[in-house]
Every structure is written in structure tokens, then in C-alpha cells.
Amino acid sequence: MAGTTPSSMNSRRRFAMTPKEQLRQISTLNQRIEQRLKLIEYYMEQAERMGGALSLVGRVTGTKEQSPMERWVDKAIDLARDLEAEVEALRAERRLVGGIVERIQNPKYKQVLELRYFMPVMTKWEEIAEIMECDVRHVYRLHGEALVDYAKCQ
């Protein structure tokens, strides 16, 4: 391509995702959110183990010293704030990708994409085959055809 530098080609490739990459992004965000929720739960458990009341040391003495419990609670609160942004990103991505999936005419294609990518945990191919009452190889074929249709509907 005349006038195109390798760095501009790389940046275009980075931003032009394939249908499969777009769909996987939803399950990746789902997984990240689940991990963060578990981490928040862990931080709160740590705070409970520390016991005691929240420290008034910093307020009374003028120092900024926190109790161990306060540190764990602060970590949980900070992570919860970050999580809100990730949940909103997931919702936006689901709206975008879900709108594309809705335009697919074949209900089997929609079903395989929804089962694979829109569940909280990515569904295994064997489970999808069982749900759809067909062979795993047929699910692979349907998935491939669904990705082609997805690309056409973008």
C-alpha cells in the first residue's frame, strides 16, 4: 500500500477486531468482573478477620495511620469503584454485539453465539451440542457459519 507505514498498518490491525475477537471480548469482560468480585469478597473477609472497630487514631493524633481492617476495606472500596466502570463497559459491549447478533436471521446461529459468548462463563462446545441436541462437529460448523453471518451484519 502506497503511503502506508508499518506502524499505521499495525495500529489498524489492532483496532479492527474479527467477529470472534469481538464476541470473546464479552466473555473476557465477564471473567474479569467475576475475578474482581471474588477479590472484593477476599478483601472484605480479610477486613473481618482483622476485627475491631475502624480506627480513630488518625483523627485524634493527626496522623494518617490506618488500622489493618481499614486498609482492607479501602482496597475493597477502590476495587468496587473500578468494577463499576468495567461493568458499564461490559453492558455497552453487550448492547453493541447483541444488536449485531439480533440481526442474524438463522435462529441456530444466534443460539450458538449466545450460548458460547453471552453466558457468565463461556459454555463448552460439548455442552452447547447437548443443549442444541446435535453433534459437536455440527456445532463447530454452525459456529463458523454464524461468525460469517455476524461479519455480514456488522
Side-chain angles (χ1 to χ4, degrees):
M1 298 168 101
T4 306
T5 64
S7 63
S8 66
M9 286 174 59
N10 285 339
S11 66
R12 268 193 234 136
R13 267 190 235 128
R14 190 174 34 214
F15 293 111
M17 288 193 284
T18 66
K20 194 174 196 176
E21 290 169 335
Q22 275 187 330
L23 289 160
R24 275 199 172 153
Q25 192 169 20
I26 290 175
S27 57
T28 300
L29 284 169
N30 271 333
Q31 290 169 358
R32 284 185 61 181
I33 289 168
E34 284 300 313
Q35 289 169 344
R36 301 263 175 146
L37 286 171
K38 286 178 184 174
L39 195 54
I40 290 170
E41 188 178 320
Y42 170 77
Y43 288 163
M44 293 308 289
E45 287 172 4
Q46 293 302 311
E48 286 176 18
R49 284 188 193 152
M50 295 297 143
L54 294 175
S55 172
L56 296 176
V57 172
R59 294 187 196 120
V60 174
T61 64
T63 65
K64 294 184 179 184
E65 187 178 319
Q66 286 184 312
S67 71
M69 180 183 169
E70 286 176 304
R71 285 193 292 273
W72 285 110
V73 170
D74 284 348
K75 284 182 178 186
I77 290 169
D78 290 344
L79 193 55
R81 284 188 191 124
D82 293 344
L83 185 60
E84 286 178 36
E86 287 189 33
V87 167
E88 188 51 44
L90 174 63
R91 286 185 185 137
E93 192 67 24
R94 276 180 169 250
R95 281 191 299 271
L96 173 77
V97 173
I100 296 169
V101 170
E102 281 303 310
R103 287 183 278 201
I104 294 174
Q105 297 297 313
N106 187 317
K108 291 284 185 187
Y109 293 175
K110 282 183 188 180
Q111 186 180 21
V112 76
L113 293 177
E114 288 168 352
L115 288 170
R116 180 68 176 171
Y117 300 105
F118 285 82
M119 304 307 265
V121 176
M122 192 181 277
T123 312
K124 294 179 181 176
W125 296 114
E126 294 79 12
E127 293 170 2
I128 294 171
E130 189 176 315
I131 291 167
M132 295 181 74
E133 298 178 347
C134 62
D135 187 66
V136 175
R137 288 175 296 180
H138 185 64
V139 171
Y140 292 151
R141 186 178 60 75
L142 285 173
H143 180 258
E145 292 168 0
L147 291 175
V148 170
D149 253 22
Y150 180 95
K152 289 178 186 175
C153 290
Q154 284 184 305

